Amino acid sequence: NDDKFAIKARMFANHGSLVKHKHKIEGINSRLDGLQAAVLSVKLKYINTWTELRIKNAKLYTELLSPIQNVQTPKIHSNAKHVFHLYVIRCFNRDKLNRYLNANGVSTAIHYPCPLPLLKAYEYLKLDKNDFSVSKSYKNQILSLPMFPELSRDDILYITNLIKNFYNS
């Protein structure tokens, strides 16, 4: 029966935010209800297969996008395994490319448009935004391409051909 508490509890459970990417407080990711947990417990037996399919899709993306001068693909360290929950590229003219891909039926996303240390939630740390020059310079270049296990080779060819055409026109 306390509206202020209810708002703060919702924010806390959603990474400290009521509006996506506008984190006012430090929070946690606690949005899993019982029904979602039951579905996930059934899906868990497929996780290894889905991870391998994501890795396969990421390798194809990387192979097809690496030759494009205005695109940088994710770097994977030799002693690490990336599961590719997201496939994020760095690209120039990101917003134009984003609109172009969306206009051609490709859903993209911009994850973490603001470097985490610069969010309102961390103002109390009194960080100097100039201490995060790399993340600051990348924030207008990152673009998440479609990534899911069922993504087909033809889908990836379509997406990468659109990106090639965008930069070659």
Side-chain angles (χ1 to χ4, degrees):
N1 295 333
D2 184 330
D3 290 342
K4 281 185 177 181
F5 179 79
I7 289 170
K8 192 163 186 172
R10 280 189 203 95
M11 286 175 62
F12 183 74
N14 192 27
H15 291 297
S17 173
L18 292 178
V19 177
K20 192 170 187 168
H21 304 303
K22 303 286 185 194
H23 306 273
K24 293 184 177 179
I25 62 172
E26 289 179 287
I28 61 173
N29 182 355
S30 180
R31 297 169 285 183
L32 185 67
D33 60 42
L35 180 60
Q36 290 173 340
V39 169
L40 287 175
S41 69
V42 172
K43 288 181 160 188
L44 199 55
K45 64 183 170 186
Y46 304 103
I47 193 77
N48 291 330
T49 301
W50 289 342
T51 298
E52 292 307 316
L53 289 169
R54 286 174 175 274
I55 292 169
K56 179 181 169 191
N57 289 340
K59 285 179 181 177
L60 182 57
Y61 264 135
T62 299
E63 174 189 328
L64 297 170
L65 292 173
S66 291
I68 303 173
Q69 231 176 359
N70 292 308
V71 174
Q72 291 186 5
T73 58
K75 304 285 185 261
I76 310 305
H77 296 281
S78 60
N79 62 344
K81 180 178 180 182
H82 197 309
V83 297
F84 291 100
H85 165 66
L86 301 172
Y87 188 87
V88 182
I89 60 171
R90 284 185 42 225
C91 56
F92 297 95
N93 295 320
R94 189 265 320 267
D95 293 335
K96 277 186 166 180
L97 175 61
N98 189 27
R99 286 190 296 273
Y100 174 75
L101 290 171
N102 279 264
N104 284 281
V106 177
S107 294
T108 59
I110 299 168
H111 291 90
Y112 308 105
C114 178
L116 295 179
L118 305 184
L119 291 171
K120 182 171 178 38
Y122 299 106
E123 282 180 348
Y124 74 94
L125 296 172
K126 301 196 182 329
L127 301 169
D128 184 342
K129 64 182 175 183
N130 295 318
D131 288 341
F132 305 96
S133 59
V134 173
S135 58
K136 187 176 165 188
S137 70
Y138 287 7
K139 78 181 194 107
N140 295 317
Q141 298 175 5
I142 57 171
L143 184 65
S144 296
L145 299 180
M147 174 51 80
F148 47 93
E150 301 82 9
L151 196 62
S152 72
R153 179 177 178 83
D154 287 344
D155 292 333
I156 294 172
L157 287 168
Y158 177 71
I159 294 163
T160 56
N161 282 330
L162 283 173
I163 295 170
K164 286 176 193 171
N165 292 339
F166 176 82
Y167 286 112
N168 291 330
S169 61

